[in-house]
Each structure stands twice: as structure tokens, then as C-alpha cells.
Amino acid sequence: SFSAIASMKGVKLDVESSQLIIQGDRPLLTRAISNLLDNAIKFTPAGGVVKVHARPDADGVEVSVRDTGPGIAAEYLP
């Protein structure tokens, strides 16, 4: 569903992951990743890129979402 949203906005969605088995609260994980993707697409201008990367790490799975949007202003980070 996020591919269609990104495409309509002119944002490239680049997903890199291998087959992973993730144990956890599925609705909570889905909501967390959905929120990250939604915000990344929303704040990335047309022509930009949102990259999603999932890989195994020592504690389980590491998921990262990066984008070419403006980022969060320093005063809002705390």
C-alpha cells in the first residue's frame, strides 16, 4: 500500500530486506513501521527517496527508514 502512496507523490520507495521471521506484537510492529513510512513519504518532496532496510542483528532484527526529506528541526528533537 505504501508503494502506491509513494508513487502518487513522486517519491521512490526502495525496500531492501531478506526473508526474516520476526516474533512480536504484530499490530504494534505494523503500526510503528507504518507510522515511520507514512511520515517519511509525507515529508519527502517529489523526486526524493525513502529507503527501508531490514536485517538480522545480534538482538533480533534491525529496521531502518531513511528519507531525503528535510528532517526534524533541532528544536523538536528533544
Side-chain angles (χ1 to χ4, degrees), residues 7-64:
S7 180
M8 287 180 1
K9 188 162 182 233
V11 172
K12 180 181 178 202
L13 183 58
D14 182 13
V15 178
E16 182 182 326
S17 70
S18 54
Q19 290 290 85
L20 300 170
I21 297 173
I22 301 171
Q23 294 180 343
D25 185 326
R26 184 181 182 116
L28 189 59
L29 290 168
T30 299
R31 187 171 68 201
I33 293 170
S34 293
N35 285 342
L36 290 170
L37 283 170
D38 184 57
N39 285 332
I41 294 168
K42 185 185 305 181
F43 294 106
T44 298
V49 179
V50 174
K51 293 184 179 187
V52 182
H53 183 81
R55 67 176 183 86
D57 76 357
D59 297 319
V61 175
E62 176 184 290
V63 177
S64 66

